[in-house]
Amino acid sequence: MRFTVSAHDDTRKLVVLAVDDEPNGLDELVHCLRNSPHVAKVFPAIDASEALRLLSTDDPRLRERKDRGLPIVDAVFADIDMPGLSGMEMSRVFAALRPSPALVFVTGHAEEAVNAFDLGALDYVLKPYQQDRLDRAISRVLDKLAAAAAPPPGALGGEPVKNDDEVIPVELAGTTKLIPRSSVRWVEAQGDYARLFTTEGSHLVRIPLAQLEERWEKAGFVRIHRSFLVALPLITELRMGQGGYQVVIGNEEKVLPVSRRHTRALKDRLVGSGRNG
């Protein structure tokens, strides 16, 4: 999967908080963030405690943002492994703020990616820092802000549309690849794991299918079998096969079984989808 930096309005400048307990790492992170044309201000913090103290102070630059109903900062770029309060623990404090800043983890430990995204992280950047990779993370923050500033549901007629696209971290040969939910066509259970099938191939992730079913239901995914979760808009046909009902996915003519217990709910969802369409 390739990332491209979106074209953004340069009048929208970000205020970000950079947190890293290693002085050299913090300097490099601040340097890369300040190199971005989309970043107006970077507040550095040497650990989580300093970051939280900064956010609780009455700094006039931050107080003005509070008065305008903005997050104290637009985004927090934080290391995970820090003495005292960890980046994971600190993120729970940020998540409780209203409105809350976007969270991007910057770390040398790829194995923490799943936990990071479970906490609502927008992106996960591995050290050593690279300017183009941080630029892509900044682009994600800008996209999230643009989605939040979109017209409210119903303003343009029709049903509200969810704009944020969840990403799933996948470990591949020591690197972390981010798979957008919108690229997933169907999911197959494999024990405590799930295999995501996309237009580019398949990816095994350590997430139970039942958990994905709960998280992705409002995004249009439907359980058709104890082993399969499918993107409802991609179902092109429901038909009777030798062992029961089957669905056809997209133009590739992929056929998946539908269990008896899920048939009625699937038919209801397909009928409802057709009416809304």
Side-chain angles (χ1 to χ4, degrees), residues 224-226 242-245 257-267:
I224 64 168
H225 189 276
R226 66 182 180 182
Q242 291 183 346
Y245 278 101
V258 180
S259 66
R260 187 173 301 174
R261 62 173 293 195
H262 291 99
T263 298
R264 172 51 56 191
L266 175 60
K267 287 182 177 180

Side-chain angles (χ1 to χ4, degrees), residues 99-110:
S100 59
L103 178 64
V104 176
F105 279 119
V106 287
T107 179
H109 303 281

Side-chain angles (χ1 to χ4, degrees), residues 31-67:
H31 173 75
C32 289
L33 290 172
R34 286 175 175 165
N35 271 348
S36 169
H38 303 294
V39 174
K41 181 67 179 177
V42 181
F43 289 91
I46 198 62
D47 57 27
S49 297
E50 183 178 347
L52 295 177
R53 283 196 300 271
L54 174 66
L55 296 186
S56 64
T57 62
D58 203 26
D59 188 305
R61 294 167 296 181
L62 300 179
R63 186 176 64 243
E64 186 267 342
R65 292 178 59 84
K66 293 181 185 178
D67 294 340

Side-chain angles (χ1 to χ4, degrees), residues 7-87:
H8 298 287
D9 184 352
D10 284 345
T11 62
R12 181 61 171 103
K13 302 286 187 177
L14 300 177
V15 175
V16 302
L17 174 64
V19 191
D20 193 331
D21 65 298
E22 298 177 359
N24 291 338
L26 180 59
D27 288 344
E28 183 65 21
L29 176 59
V30 170
H31 173 75
C32 289
L33 290 172
R34 286 175 175 165
N35 271 348
S36 169
H38 303 294
V39 174
K41 181 67 179 177
V42 181
F43 289 91
I46 198 62
D47 57 27
S49 297
E50 183 178 347
L52 295 177
R53 283 196 300 271
L54 174 66
L55 296 186
S56 64
T57 62
D58 203 26
D59 188 305
R61 294 167 296 181
L62 300 179
R63 186 176 64 243
E64 186 267 342
R65 292 178 59 84
K66 293 181 185 178
D67 294 340
R68 293 169 54 197
L70 298 173
I72 298 176
V73 292
D74 293 305
V76 178
F77 287 73
D79 194 5
I80 290 180
D81 291 327
M82 295 185 289
L85 196 66
S86 71

Side-chain angles (χ1 to χ4, degrees), residues 112-175:
E112 294 286 354
V114 172
N115 293 332
F117 283 102
D118 282 345
L119 290 174
L122 190 63
D123 206 343
Y124 189 93
V125 180
L126 291 176
K127 296 180 179 179
Y129 303 121
Q130 296 181 9
Q131 186 67 54
D132 62 339
R133 183 64 185 87
L134 280 169
D135 285 343
R136 292 196 293 272
I138 291 169
S139 182
R140 284 184 176 274
V141 175
L142 288 165
D143 288 341
K144 180 180 180 180
L145 293 175
L156 299 179
E159 294 295 320
V161 177
K162 189 175 180 62
N163 291 308
D164 53 326
D165 188 10
E166 181 181 346
V167 292
I168 302 296
V170 176
E171 301 301 322
L172 293 172
T175 63

